[in-house]
Amino acid sequence: MNEANKYRSGFTAILGRPNVGKSTLLNALVGEKIAIVSDKPQTTRRRVLGVMSMPQGQIVFLDTPGLTTARTKLGEYTQSAAYEALTGADAIVVVAAAGTVGPKDRDIIEKFSKRKLPKILVLNKTDVASREAIARDLQSFSIPPYDQYDAILPMSAKTGDGVETLRSLLFDRMPEGPHFFPDDMITDQPEYMLCAEIIREKALTHLREEVPHGVGVEIQRVEKVSVSLTEIHANIYVERAAHKGIVLGKQGRMLRSIGTEARLDIEKLLNTHISLQLWVKVREDWRNRADDLRTLGYVRERD
Ligand SMILES: Nc1nc2c(ncn2[C@@H]2O[C@H](COP(=O)(O)OP(=O)(O)OP(=O)(O)O)[C@@H](O)[C@H]2O)c(=O)[nH]1
Ligand SMILES: [Mg+2]
């Protein structure tokens, strides 16, 4: 085999502040929705693996929780999950939102600029940034201490503009390597976890202020009632008694909206009719309680 025909593969971590569009980018790169997305910061709570397979090779992407200061035990878990994705990474993609790059983004961009591995700086959300703002960002990141990136790529994960360029920039930087995953595998998340995440996404979309941050979803039971119907029972945890009423809404309307939207997505995912039974439960301050974090699956792999 000559150099050009070698099978290339490697891991690429996607990092950046909350809400810059990392999960949207992961979904765009692998071409399927495997990571939930919302307009609330700190949507992603664990690393989400997504595989892009081609005949010539494979890139395994690791989407990560937005980098921020941990304020709860859950926060400590999410931040360590983000940094752990760097272990063994063959390349990194650092994401910021074009035109709204703040000091905390700059710190992250500078910090990763020093890493000795292939790295791309993505200026995302160009569909909502002015040309002038994008030009200013490009200028400011092409000088020290930010200028160690292999490329700075303005793009839009939402419209798909620039996604192909990013794929090929990364693929060119992957080492020769093995077939890590079967070609038809796009994520390592089990179905129950995807279902829990879909329910959490709908809750995040509908809820406001501090309520969404205190929502956790546990799938209790999945039962195949017939060939065409599966019943799923899930608990939605909230961290304060006052939040339970908010999640239920007037005459249960909020919970019904969350449930209907989640059911439609889960039906598409599992390709069957779903009966979704949601229960709202209060677990005081669960984001600081080790046993609750374990119940909801927020545990380090080595713990
Ligand atoms: N206009 C525009 N919006 C985008 C783009 N990419 C993502 N968004 C929106 O930005 C918000 C955050 O997107 P996410 O993908 O959840 O961001 P994230 O970086 O994964 O956030 P965390 O998981 O909280 O760290 C959502 O409302 C997305 O629809 C983009 O290219 N253009
Ligand atoms: Mg995310």
Side-chain angles (χ1 to χ4, degrees):
M1 236 190 221
N2 65 34
E3 197 57 31
N5 288 337
K6 279 179 182 159
Y7 192 86
R8 289 162 181 258
S9 63
F11 285 70
T12 296
I14 304 174
L15 298 147
R17 293 269 302 151
N19 218 30
V20 295
K22 298 176 298 299
S23 301
T24 309
L25 179 59
L26 173 78
N27 294 338
L29 286 163
V30 302
E32 294 268 356
K33 182 158 172 182
I34 54 171
I36 62 166
V37 165
S38 90
D39 59 353
K40 313 288 187 303
Q42 296 173 53
T43 294
T44 305
R45 289 180 178 164
R46 34 167 94 80
R47 73 119 183 82
V48 178
L49 181 147
V51 188
M52 185 187 92
S53 295
M54 293 165 298
Q56 326 86 287
Q58 201 165 59
I59 306 180
V60 183
F61 292 102
L62 298 173
D63 175 26
T64 62
L67 299 171
T68 183
T69 311
R71 298 188 200 288
T72 59
K73 277 206 166 64
L74 173 66
E76 286 165 20
Y77 167 79
T78 62
Q79 295 308 294
S80 68
Y83 284 102
E84 272 172 26
L86 281 164
T87 314
D90 298 286
I92 54 173
V93 172
V94 177
V95 186
T100 62
V101 182
K104 289 177 179 169
D105 296 283
R106 274 177 217 289
D107 287 350
I108 290 168
I109 294 167
E110 180 183 349
K111 185 157 92 180
F112 289 118
S113 173
K114 300 192 176 84
R115 292 255 166 179
K116 301 251 171 299
L117 80 181
K119 46 197 170 294
I120 312 286
L121 174 58
V122 159
L123 296 172
N124 191 32
K125 307 199 187 185
T126 51
D127 55 301
V128 288
S130 69
R131 271 169 199 263
E132 295 73 32
I134 298 167
R136 261 198 310 275
D137 286 344
L138 281 170
Q139 170 69 24
S140 69
F141 294 117
S142 52
I143 52 172
Y146 309 108
D147 60 341
Q148 297 303 306
Y149 287 84
D150 295 37
I152 308 176
L153 179 65
M155 62 170 291
S156 168
K158 193 167 190 170
T159 66
D161 188 26
V163 171
E164 198 44 57
T165 311
L166 179 59
R167 281 199 193 105
S168 73
L169 280 169
L170 287 168
F171 191 69
D172 290 347
R173 286 165 176 77
M174 289 295 114
E176 187 185 349
H179 223 115
F180 286 108
F181 295 100
D183 280 350
D184 60 356
M185 181 171 159
I186 54 164
T187 185
D188 65 344
Q189 300 167 93
E191 274 174 357
Y192 79 88
M193 200 184 271
L194 290 168
C195 293
E197 285 289 86
I198 289 170
I199 297 165
R200 197 166 63 82
E201 178 184 76
K202 305 311 173 194
L204 282 172
T205 307
H206 284 277
L207 299 168
R208 309 255 165 281
E209 289 156 20
E210 87 274 35
V211 187
H213 296 296
V215 163
V217 177
E218 178 195 22
I219 303 292
Q220 270 231 307
R221 192 152 59 84
V222 179
E223 194 181 327
K224 204 164 170 141
V225 182
S226 71
V227 264
S228 57
L229 180 68
T230 297
E231 207 171 270
I232 299 177
H233 293 251
N235 290 329
I236 297 182
Y237 292 118
V238 291
E239 61 185 354
R240 281 194 217 127
H243 293 177
K244 182 170 175 174
I246 298 172
V247 175
L248 287 169
K250 264 197 195 119
Q251 293 164 333
R253 256 183 257 146
M254 171 68 87
L255 187 64
R256 261 200 309 283
S257 303
I258 294 170
T260 305
E261 287 176 21
R263 177 176 58 75
L264 293 171
D265 278 15
I266 295 171
E267 286 184 338
K268 266 188 239 148
L269 174 76
L270 303 182
N271 201 19
T272 181
H273 291 294
I274 297 291
S275 160
L276 183 60
Q277 311 287 329
L278 297 177
W279 313 94
V280 184
K281 306 218 160 145
V282 181
R283 289 224 178 159
E284 282 298 328
D285 200 29
W286 70 263
R287 286 189 288 166
N288 279 312
R289 300 169 64 101
D291 50 344
D292 289 335
L293 293 176
R294 209 169 304 117
T295 305
L296 290 166
Y298 299 121
V299 279
R300 304 250 285 272
E301 277 162 28
R302 59 170 181 270
D303 286 350

